[in-house]
Amino acid sequence: MKVSIIRIDKKNQLHLSHKDLEKMLERMKKDKKSSSVEDLRQRIRICRFNNQSSPLRHELPHICPAMEMERDANGNLRMNTFNGILLFTTRQLDSANEVKRIKTKAMALPSTIAAVTGASGRSVKIMVRTANDKGQLPQTEDEAAKFYSRAYALVFPVYNALLSQTLVTQEATLRSQFCLTLDPEPCYNAKATPFIIDSNLRISDETAETTPADDTTAHEDFKPDEEVAIVTKKMENHLRSRYEFRYNTVMGYTEYRPHNRFDFHPADPSAICTFAFDARTEGIKVTENDVRRYVWSNHIKRYDPIDEYLWQVHDKWDGRDHIRALARTVPTRNPHWEDWFYTWFLGMVAQWRGLNRRYGNSVAPLLISRQGYNKSTFCRSLLPRELQWGFNENIDLSEKRQVLQQMSQFLLINLDEFNAIPRKVQEGFLKNIIQLASVKIKRPYGRHVEDFPRLASFIATANMSDVLTDPTGSRRFIGVELTGPIDVSTPPNYEQLYAQAQVALENHEPYWFDQEQTRLIMDNNRQFEWHSSTEEYFMEYFELPANEQDGEYMKASTILSLLKTKAGRAINVTNTSQFGRFLSNLEGIRQRRTGSNGTEYLVKKRF
């Protein structure tokens, strides 16, 4: 099959060509525009580091695997042949080894026709074959667009579950493209079998899985009532004799494992087909729909991995203070760190248990040091192996919907490189979400907004000390400057950590910070606040007097004008209202409102 190759030159002219998919993958093995694959990766990294758009936009073509396109009479692109290939993209992965692992897992699925490393070198592009229940594909573009959207909704959750929730949710469109990449070892399976999209099935709003569209017309499902009851019971006994099922309430899907096996796996469409096929070989006349109804029904026991773990360690505390002992592995001169970490840790566990439906765990430790002090390793080690699926350190705060979704699915989110978060995001979106008790989002392919309990707490790391840009929001973070590397040589005793936390919560110990603790946190965080040049010049030329006799009331515009006479062009603020907000937020400043001059501030000149 041929895929479409689209390139826009420097004159913004569009060029269209076609190439066989296998030959295109061969093309990706070699770098024809620079000396090596790493050269291309380096150019992309430099552009991102400098916050610039990549020049590769014009230099490199884009590949549309879903269809072979052509131009109409007006030069517009339209579909010529539909290939039935879905395109999935992973998030940015941690390492080249992780990229290779995801490629291998993707190719283990029989419907994967290709998997290649993305242009950044840290993502994977996955191509999946699909067809309808007759092994055919739509012939018109409108039909193909509907089929693609339907197939994407069905196949995405299957692949995302099997690939460790690494896929990025994207718009399901025929024109999905990816940049021509470089991969010395692209994966290709010419014999990939299409993922069958049953025309009699519809996508469920609740599970994004498939359910019968109309039982009265699905003739294969029709059986006399007595026969239905007998066959259904035989099917249930057959499945229970071979497998153990449970519905994962956190992840939102049914899992299964053969008896005497350790690991559970999602009951994806491939598993459903296997269950039905095995039942038929035993003489049980069931369809895939019959099996699916049972597997996704309320007859399957509910399983909450969080409650399961906390129950396992319940009542096992030995009486020692393991939480503060873990805090002591973080070397710092902050005398309150151990107590603050203790309270935050209780808040994290309370968040998982849903003890407070009105407020979220609204404070996050902020570990500050130069690189190489094991900050990220420490954050990752806070969760035991059984709950490691709930740790996330690859969060994109610009994707607001995705952030809210992750807050309802993950347990601990690490805001890595906190100093790189833009000031507006820190003062706005982040300040808002960190205090939420629940999140309101629309599920992928859902039709309405739903309210989900928040699970995730936050922790952060930074390589710079002046990282807090919003003085009014600094109480949301516990700034801790490290005096040396964190000791991560000995794994924490997770059983004792979480057993102690549960005893503390059951004894009604506070898992929130009171007013006095909040005041101490804000006092501590002043050393980590970022100040603009205007703020620094104000502190240099003005002070806040103790009484009215030692100073005078001035308007914000007057104070700003005096600063400009002293500092000249170093004062680049032109917005008097913004400067007035800065003055209003200064701790200890006195202000008054007058009829003619508006708000005035009590200051004392140092000159």
Side-chain angles (χ1 to χ4, degrees):
M1 65 180 68
K2 291 187 177 181
V3 297
S4 299
I5 306 170
I6 303 170
R7 181 176 65 86
I8 300 177
D9 61 24
K10 294 181 179 180
K11 297 181 180 180
N12 212 31
Q13 298 296 313
L14 187 146
H15 302 268
L16 174 67
S17 59
H18 310 93
K19 200 161 192 169
D20 183 81
L21 177 59
E22 186 173 5
K23 292 182 179 179
M24 174 56 67
L25 297 176
E26 286 293 322
R27 159 69 179 83
M28 294 177 184
K29 291 183 179 181
K30 298 180 181 179
D31 186 354
K32 294 183 178 180
K33 294 201 170 188
S34 58
S35 59
S36 68
V37 173
E38 185 55 34
D39 286 344
L40 177 60
R41 310 283 190 244
Q42 185 65 24
R43 292 166 69 192
I44 294 175
R45 283 195 292 268
I46 291 174
C47 291
R48 289 182 174 175
F49 180 79
N50 293 326
N51 198 25
Q52 300 173 348
S53 60
S54 173
L56 302 173
R57 176 177 177 271
H58 291 300
E59 296 180 21
L60 292 180
H62 285 70
I63 301 166
C64 177
M67 58 182 173
E68 180 182 345
M69 290 188 278
E70 63 181 7
R71 293 178 183 267
D72 63 15
N74 294 322
N76 299 314
L77 297 181
R78 66 183 182 187
M79 187 188 86
N80 180 25
T81 305
F82 179 46
N83 296 327
I85 295 181
L86 304 180
L87 175 63
F88 297 134
T89 300
T90 69
R91 57 173 167 76
Q92 292 294 299
L93 303 173
D94 295 335
S95 64
N97 288 334
E98 182 70 1
V99 170
K100 185 176 181 180
R101 185 182 71 84
I102 293 297
K103 285 169 61 177
T104 301
K105 290 185 69 173
M107 293 308 298
L109 299 171
S111 297
T112 306
I113 189 171
V116 298
T117 304
S120 67
R122 286 294 182 267
S123 66
V124 179
K125 307 294 179 180
I126 300 167
M127 285 160 270
V128 180
R129 285 193 66 191
T130 61
N132 64 19
D133 46 1
K134 298 179 181 179
Q136 300 173 346
L137 292 171
Q139 299 300 308
T140 68
E141 185 163 351
D142 287 343
E143 292 175 347
K146 293 178 182 178
F147 178 89
Y148 190 99
S149 178
R150 180 186 186 81
Y152 190 98
L154 175 62
V155 180
F156 177 89
V158 176
Y159 270 71
N160 196 30
L162 296 178
L163 298 179
S164 306
Q165 306 293 325
T166 60
L167 297 186
V168 176
T169 304
Q170 297 174 320
E171 183 181 1
T173 170
L174 285 173
R175 298 173 184 262
S176 294
Q177 305 169 15
F178 65 97
C179 179
L180 176 63
T181 183
L182 295 164
D183 188 344
E185 298 179 342
C187 300
Y188 178 67
N189 178 17
K191 298 181 180 180
T193 57
F195 195 113
I196 300 302
I197 309 301
D198 193 335
S199 59
N200 289 323
L201 301 180
R202 62 179 173 84
I203 303 302
S204 166
D205 292 335
E206 295 300 319
T207 63
E209 294 294 334
T210 55
T211 55
D214 188 349
D215 288 342
T216 62
T217 59
H219 61 84
E220 188 181 11
D221 290 345
F222 178 76
K223 306 178 184 71
D225 291 344
E226 184 177 354
E227 182 184 352
V228 169
I230 295 174
V231 171
T232 301
K233 194 60 181 178
K234 286 183 178 180
M235 177 195 69
E236 180 180 0
N237 292 337
H238 167 79
L239 292 175
R240 287 185 177 276
S241 68
R242 294 193 176 196
Y243 305 101
E244 180 182 354
F245 293 94
R246 68 186 187 188
Y247 181 79
N248 190 318
T249 57
V250 175
M251 304 309 295
Y253 52 66
T254 298
E255 301 172 327
Y256 76 97
R257 69 177 177 187
H259 289 304
N260 301 321
R261 295 290 181 89
F262 180 76
D263 293 327
F264 278 87
H265 303 281
D268 55 76
S270 176
I272 298 294
C273 292
T274 302
F275 299 155
F277 181 83
D278 290 345
R280 283 174 176 258
T281 61
E282 296 292 328
I284 305 173
K285 297 179 180 180
V286 295
T287 67
E288 294 173 18
N289 286 344
D290 294 326
V291 176
R292 187 178 294 107
R293 290 189 190 97
Y294 170 72
V295 170
W296 288 90
S297 72
N298 286 332
H299 291 280
I300 303 301
K301 67 177 181 181
R302 263 36 184 174
Y303 162 75
D304 186 324
I306 305 171
D307 286 347
E308 181 82 7
Y309 179 78
L310 294 179
W311 175 254
Q312 289 175 1
V313 302
H314 191 261
D315 288 338
K316 294 185 178 180
W317 185 39
D318 60 9
R320 297 170 54 194
D321 192 345
H322 294 270
I323 299 176
R324 288 186 176 86
L326 177 59
R328 286 193 290 273
T329 64
V330 179
T332 178
R333 296 187 182 91
N334 188 324
H336 307 289
W337 164 242
E338 292 181 24
D339 292 334
W340 289 350
F341 179 81
Y342 180 86
T343 302
W344 172 82
F345 194 91
L346 295 188
M348 178 177 67
V349 178
Q351 187 78 62
W352 302 349
R353 295 179 57 179
L355 297 184
N356 192 337
R357 295 299 185 185
R358 296 184 60 190
Y359 304 102
N361 189 10
S362 58
V363 178
L366 173 58
L367 307 180
I368 302 171
S369 76
R370 63 187 183 187
Q371 292 183 349
Y373 273 37
N374 302 323
K375 299 187 295 296
S376 297
T377 303
F378 173 79
C379 296
R380 198 177 300 112
S381 70
L382 294 177
L383 297 184
R385 179 185 60 82
E386 294 87 345
L387 300 179
Q388 272 296 314
W389 55 265
F391 181 79
N392 183 22
E393 57 187 347
N394 297 297
I395 188 170
D396 185 357
L397 292 176
S398 65
E399 297 290 339
K400 296 184 179 180
R401 181 185 175 280
Q402 188 180 83
V403 172
L404 293 175
Q405 184 175 352
Q406 292 178 359
M407 288 175 64
S408 68
Q409 292 180 333
F410 289 97
L411 305 179
L412 180 61
I413 295 176
N414 177 21
L415 301 173
D416 200 20
E417 297 187 7
F418 186 84
N419 46 281
I421 297 177
R423 180 178 181 180
K424 289 184 178 180
V425 175
Q426 188 181 141
E427 296 176 1
F429 180 62
L430 181 59
K431 179 180 177 180
N432 175 55
I433 65 170
I434 201 171
Q435 58 188 338
L436 295 178
S438 62
V439 293
K440 293 179 172 62
I441 56 174
K442 185 172 72 172
R443 304 189 197 204
Y445 318 112
R447 296 181 180 177
H448 57 277
V449 174
E450 300 177 66
D451 194 0
F452 294 91
R454 168 187 165 186
L455 290 176
S457 292
F458 288 91
I459 193 169
T461 64
N463 300 326
M464 300 168 58
S465 59
D466 53 343
V467 293
L468 297 175
T469 64
D470 180 14
T472 62
S474 67
R475 64 192 180 98
R476 301 298 180 198
F477 300 94
I478 302 174
V480 180
E481 188 168 18
L482 276 59
T483 57
I486 301 175
D487 183 7
V488 294
S489 59
T490 303
N493 187 328
Y494 296 110
E495 179 181 276
Q496 291 300 316
L497 278 176
Y498 290 97
Q500 178 186 356
Q502 291 188 85
V503 170
L505 293 173
E506 290 165 1
N507 290 335
H508 305 291
E509 290 191 33
Y511 52 87
W512 61 90
F513 294 92
D514 59 26
Q515 291 185 352
E516 177 60 21
Q517 290 171 321
T518 299
R519 185 190 64 78
L520 290 174
I521 289 174
M522 294 185 69
D523 288 344
N524 168 77
N525 286 344
R526 287 195 177 90
Q527 60 185 309
F528 306 120
E529 291 178 0
W530 174 84
H531 297 286
S532 67
S533 58
T534 302
E535 295 169 2
E536 291 178 351
Y537 278 116
F538 174 81
M539 296 300 181
E540 181 177 350
Y541 292 111
F542 290 90
E543 61 179 294
L544 304 182
N547 52 65
E548 295 183 357
Q549 289 71 30
D550 293 336
E552 59 181 312
Y553 282 100
M554 296 184 184
K555 296 190 299 182
S557 58
T558 303
I559 299 174
L560 182 59
S561 178
L562 290 173
L563 283 178
K564 289 183 177 181
T565 61
K566 291 295 182 180
R569 294 183 178 180
I571 305 297
N572 55 10
V573 175
T574 58
N575 190 323
T576 305
S577 298
Q578 180 182 352
F579 184 70
R581 286 194 295 272
F582 155 70
L583 293 175
S584 298
N585 288 328
L586 285 177
E587 184 177 358
I589 193 169
R590 296 187 183 185
Q591 52 184 297
R592 69 182 183 185
R593 293 191 62 83
T594 62
S596 57
N597 292 334
T599 303
E600 295 180 334
Y601 304 90
L602 183 63
V603 295
K604 180 180 180 180
K605 293 185 287 187
R606 295 179 185 267
F607 55 91

